[in-house]
Amino acid sequence: MVSILGISAFYHDSAACLVVDGEIVAAAQEERFTRVKHDHNFPLNAVRYCLSEAKLHANNLDYVGFYDKPLLKFDRLLETYLDYAPAGFSSFLKALPLWMKEKLWMPDLIRTELGKVDGEEDERAAKKLGKKFEWKLLFGDHHESHAASAFYPSPFEEAAILTIDGVGEWATSSIGAGKGNEITLLKELRFPNSLGLLYSAFTYYTGFRVNSGEYKVMGLAPYGEPKYVSVIKDKLLEVRDDGSLKMNHEYFSYSQGLRMTNHAFDKLLGGHPRKPESRITQREMDLARSIQVITEEVMLKMTKYAHQETGMSKLCMAGGVALNCVANGRVLREVPFEDIWIQPAAGDAGGALGIALAIWHRYLGNARVSSEKMEKWQSARAPRTNGVAPYADAMKGSYLGPRHSEAEIETFLQSRQLPYRKYSRKDLPEVIANLLAAGKIIGLHQGRMEFGPRALGARSIIGDPRSPEMQAVMNLKIKYRESFRPFAPSVLREQVADWFDLNADSPYMLLVADVVESRRRKMTVEEEALWGIDKLNVKRSEIPAVTHVDYSARIQTVRHETNPLYWEIIEAFQQKTGCPVVVNTSFNVRGEPIVCTPEDSYRCFMRTEMDYLVLETCILDKNDQPTLEENTDWKTQFKLD
Ligand SMILES: [Fe+2]
């Protein structure tokens, strides 16, 4: 048995992943345990959880992999700061102590931290223990880790690979090819030219938090006009035919300091950055639309180029920018790849999974049997579930986190004397579907927690998408956030094409497609004339809560084999209402990491206006619950994103 632990840490979204004999056994982000969003510290809790899933101790591991090369990153920082000296010197000095203390001494640090895994709290004792570990420590290249996370778990035997993010060591994007267990990187774009950092610059400029508010910019884009595209292209950057960028660094300051843009940028775009939490105006919407248009153009060019260069018919993607599901939808429709697969933990958390699989396949040379190949072998016997061909990648639906048994849940509920009703597994889907059809909003906690930023029906809040008020209610009374974003639909895989312009799997909510014409409702002239966000409250389709103002939706397709209970709930809802779609949003409030334990779920349920909480087979009615006593105002606990 070969056990490999992958780790990503110290930048953004720390995570751990355990691979045993090539199988992904567990993966989780540290934020879910510490309750600190995007926690960047060493993922001690995530490591503990991963090892417990396989009943291993830290000294049973054979390999530990870290997702990038700290020395190369340091080299990049040093060179960049020197290039821009003295402008960059102050931020260099600020960053230096952390580098000296932690990042450059990574091997020692990792050994010491893993010395704490089995409960050793004393730093010196942990260090001593760490030194005794016999596993081998390996470091991967940042974009190689992303590429490995994109290709190895994909269903494809061979595929082109595209990785795009802010920056790793030097690369900001790379194109490669995967075949069997081999990955070859063909080309890379280097810092400071970066699509991810460009998008982040506009995230900052429109008043959202960098490395976390990017999806808000994407959500805002449909309200705007692409007014700034020409000035961006004239002054800020050049987009070449292969999708590579040449950015004009007179306008950006991320190389020198901690701000993304500078005064020249403000002057060019006619004003200061929006103050976070201040009113969003048409200007931010136009800026969002403009940068989204450019991003789509770049991604289409990059993927077309990857298609040309590799001659392959499938595409895999990872890196933070691969979470831009609007651009991904266009790639699927407009680039001549037959199929695309995107790593659900596309950001840096997925690097932990990438490095672990890279050690298994590349370093140790173990063969890889893709599910595509397996299917060919089994095609004669493979059952077609409800008329849809089987689909399988190695991610297990991304349900790779902790599960809490019914016994654990009942112990928790009884110890707190919380009233609940227990149902049989057989009756459960119908009970939940009836509540949904009655307009109730339900916190759903069941099965293993998702790995990656999206809730996929294991830690989700669900509701009826047909209700015109559902969107506003969920946004204001549950998520406590701006109401400009519609929610995502979870739809039965078998029915997706009846409701959306998509006839493919989108298991990780990473593709956007339109609601089909026949289910749309045309807006009246008065409704069309409504200003930006007001438009969102107009009923635009049979499923208004999940239909954006441009009729698009961020789709999750659900299969019985990957999430049986979730599929059965939606199916029961369809039996009742004729609609095979539910609203799915992550189980958290704004700024809070997605819930992990039954306790997290209960707390979030009680702090918001959710009506029911499902903990495996136990259902809690809000009306029956005692008041939640809290000493502090929880709304101040989470940093807004
Ligand atoms: Fe990255």
Side-chain angles (χ1 to χ4, degrees):
M1 189 172 94
V2 179
S3 317
I4 306 167
L5 179 72
I7 293 170
S8 65
F10 303 125
Y11 177 59
H12 186 248
D13 243 350
S14 294
C17 170
L18 182 70
V19 168
V20 177
D21 288 341
E23 183 194 341
I24 306 166
V25 171
Q29 291 135 275
E30 185 69 1
E31 62 162 29
R32 305 290 162 88
F33 304 95
T34 58
R35 313 304 300 149
V36 176
K37 189 127 175 160
H38 304 304
D39 196 339
H40 64 273
N41 290 300
F42 187 88
L44 192 56
N45 298 283
V47 169
R48 274 187 187 136
Y49 156 67
C50 287
L51 292 175
S52 74
E53 197 66 54
K55 299 187 174 55
L56 291 177
H57 295 284
N59 59 359
N60 301 134
L61 291 164
D62 299 288
Y63 295 90
V64 174
F66 192 76
Y67 84 127
D68 73 2
K69 292 185 175 148
L71 272 176
L72 277 178
K73 212 179 229 173
F74 186 71
D75 178 53
R76 191 247 302 159
L77 288 180
L78 194 61
E79 264 192 49
T80 320
Y81 289 134
L82 289 178
D83 263 3
Y84 288 90
F89 197 60
S90 67
S91 58
F92 176 68
L93 286 181
K94 242 186 214 161
L96 196 62
L98 184 69
W99 277 93
M100 297 311 279
K101 187 168 153 265
E102 289 183 348
K103 301 190 184 180
L104 290 180
W105 306 110
M106 202 69 87
D108 266 3
L109 184 75
I110 291 173
R111 287 182 174 277
T112 309
E113 289 296 323
L114 289 179
K116 298 176 189 166
V117 165
D118 295 329
E120 187 58 77
E121 294 297 332
D122 181 271
E123 187 84 17
R124 278 171 64 183
K127 196 168 188 170
K128 224 167 136 189
L129 185 62
K131 281 201 173 119
K132 284 194 200 148
F133 288 144
E134 283 174 18
W135 35 257
K136 192 165 184 167
L137 178 61
L138 298 165
F139 289 83
D141 185 279
H142 189 103
H143 274 258
E144 281 176 17
S145 297
H146 277 317
S149 80
F151 177 64
Y152 289 132
S154 81
F156 310 140
E157 184 56 25
E158 58 170 59
I161 305 167
L162 177 64
T163 63
I164 325 176
D165 68 359
V167 62
E169 294 91 3
W170 279 100
T172 62
S173 154
S174 74
I175 288 175
K179 198 171 185 180
N181 66 349
E182 260 312 306
I183 288 179
T184 323
L185 287 181
L186 304 170
K187 217 169 176 176
E188 64 177 30
L189 182 66
R190 294 194 133 210
F191 183 86
N193 298 307
S194 162
L195 182 60
L197 290 174
L198 175 70
Y199 209 90
S200 293
F202 278 82
T203 303
Y204 164 79
Y205 191 64
T206 47
F208 301 109
R209 254 177 85 192
V210 167
N211 277 338
S212 108
E214 280 74 6
Y215 69 108
K216 293 190 176 181
V217 176
M218 189 178 74
L220 206 54
Y223 298 104
E225 295 298 326
K227 277 186 186 161
Y228 297 92
V229 169
S230 51
V231 64
I232 294 172
K233 281 188 168 176
D234 279 354
K235 300 283 185 190
L236 294 185
L237 53 96
E238 179 195 338
V239 183
R240 303 189 186 106
D241 287 345
D242 60 2
S244 64
L245 297 176
K246 186 162 171 35
M247 292 166 68
N248 183 350
H249 285 277
E250 280 169 32
Y251 293 97
F252 299 92
S253 48
Y254 55 75
S255 297
Q256 303 104 297
L258 304 168
R259 271 189 62 186
M260 294 300 293
T261 57
N262 59 19
H263 295 304
F265 188 99
D266 297 355
K267 220 171 142 192
L268 183 72
L269 294 174
H272 295 297
R274 179 180 74 96
K275 279 207 175 74
E277 303 308 306
S278 64
R279 205 174 95 83
I280 294 169
T281 65
Q282 191 60 43
R283 182 161 175 269
E284 281 76 40
M285 297 176 185
D286 294 342
L287 286 161
R289 177 70 183 275
S290 305
I291 197 59
Q292 181 62 28
V293 164
I294 300 225
T295 300
E296 289 169 26
E297 179 188 330
V298 173
M299 280 182 73
L300 287 170
K301 282 186 168 165
M302 279 184 176
T303 47
K304 274 180 193 154
Y305 181 74
H307 184 259
Q308 257 172 39
E309 284 294 291
T310 62
M312 287 169 161
S313 59
K314 313 281 169 67
L315 172 69
C316 300
M317 291 201 284
V321 181
L323 294 170
N324 195 308
C325 40
V326 178
N328 296 344
R330 284 195 64 191
V331 169
L332 180 64
R333 288 189 296 276
E334 295 173 40
V335 180
F337 283 110
E338 280 166 25
D339 206 352
I340 69 176
W341 189 86
I342 303 147
Q343 165 57 241
D348 283 355
L353 186 141
I355 182 65
L357 289 174
I359 291 173
W360 175 253
H361 290 297
R362 284 190 93 183
Y363 183 79
L364 297 172
N366 288 297
R368 167 178 172 270
V369 181
S370 64
S371 38
E372 198 173 54
K373 201 167 187 180
M374 289 273 266
E375 261 169 48
K376 262 186 204 150
W377 292 345
Q378 299 170 344
S379 60
R381 281 171 291 147
R384 291 175 77 84
T385 41
N386 304 321
V388 183
Y391 174 94
D393 55 36
M395 291 296 293
K396 302 177 178 169
S398 217
Y399 305 111
L400 295 166
R403 174 173 188 268
H404 303 87
S405 67
E406 288 181 35
E408 277 175 274
I409 285 167
E410 288 202 80
T411 307
F412 161 71
L413 293 173
Q414 285 160 10
S415 71
R416 298 273 296 267
Q417 295 179 309
L418 300 172
Y420 65 95
R421 258 189 89 171
K422 193 170 161 63
Y423 291 85
S424 73
R425 171 63 181 79
K426 197 174 130 284
D427 293 340
L428 195 61
E430 202 178 335
V431 173
I432 299 173
N434 284 340
L435 293 173
L436 287 172
K440 304 297 179 197
I441 299 175
I442 299 171
L444 178 64
H445 173 131
Q446 58 103 15
R448 294 183 69 180
M449 182 180 73
E450 302 87 345
F451 180 50
R454 303 279 167 260
L456 302 167
R459 303 289 184 276
S460 289
I461 300 170
I462 57 175
D464 183 347
R466 301 167 306 153
S467 152
E469 300 83 38
M470 186 56 72
Q471 177 169 271
V473 172
M474 276 181 135
N475 264 322
L476 299 173
K477 295 191 172 172
I478 292 173
K479 306 289 282 200
Y480 300 104
R481 66 180 190 189
E482 306 94 326
S483 58
F484 63 83
R485 288 181 294 144
F487 291 100
S490 294
V491 55
L492 298 181
R493 169 62 185 93
E494 294 82 355
Q495 316 291 328
V496 63
D498 294 341
W499 290 76
F500 304 97
D501 286 331
L502 179 78
N503 196 4
D505 283 85
S506 176
Y508 306 121
M509 215 185 260
L510 288 171
L511 293 174
V512 162
D514 289 344
V515 172
V516 290
E517 197 87 47
S518 59
R519 304 212 181 257
R520 294 183 197 173
R521 180 187 158 271
K522 218 176 146 32
M523 283 191 254
T524 62
V525 180
E526 295 82 54
E527 287 169 347
E528 280 286 1
L530 283 173
W531 183 81
I533 289 168
D534 294 333
K535 250 189 196 169
L536 196 62
N537 296 321
V538 174
K539 189 174 173 184
R540 295 164 306 279
S541 77
E542 288 178 36
I543 40 174
V546 295
T547 310
H548 214 331
V549 290
D550 57 359
Y551 297 104
S552 68
R554 183 160 52 93
I555 299 162
Q556 180 199 1
T557 54
V558 181
R559 282 179 176 260
H560 192 265
E561 55 270 38
T562 30
N563 194 338
L565 178 61
Y566 197 36
W567 188 93
E568 286 168 35
I569 293 168
I570 306 173
E571 212 266 338
F573 183 70
Q574 181 192 21
Q575 293 290 338
K576 237 188 139 41
T577 63
C579 175
V581 183
V582 297
V583 177
N584 173 8
T585 184
S586 52
F587 199 151
N588 59 346
V589 291
R590 187 177 166 201
E592 180 192 20
I594 296 177
V595 295
C596 176
T597 63
E599 173 127 38
D600 298 336
S601 299
Y602 184 76
R603 200 185 307 119
C604 186
F605 166 62
M606 289 306 293
R607 282 171 171 177
T608 63
E609 294 180 43
M610 264 178 260
D611 302 301
Y612 288 86
L613 171 65
V614 177
L615 292 170
E616 295 293 340
T617 51
C618 301
I619 300 187
L620 287 78
D621 182 337
K622 176 66 70 57
N623 294 322
D624 301 340
Q625 303 306 311
T627 352
L628 185 72
E629 305 283 352
E630 291 191 282
N631 315 330
T632 50
D633 177 11
W634 62 268
K635 283 183 191 166
T636 57
Q637 190 184 328
F638 304 114
K639 235 183 178 174
L640 298 177
D641 54 357

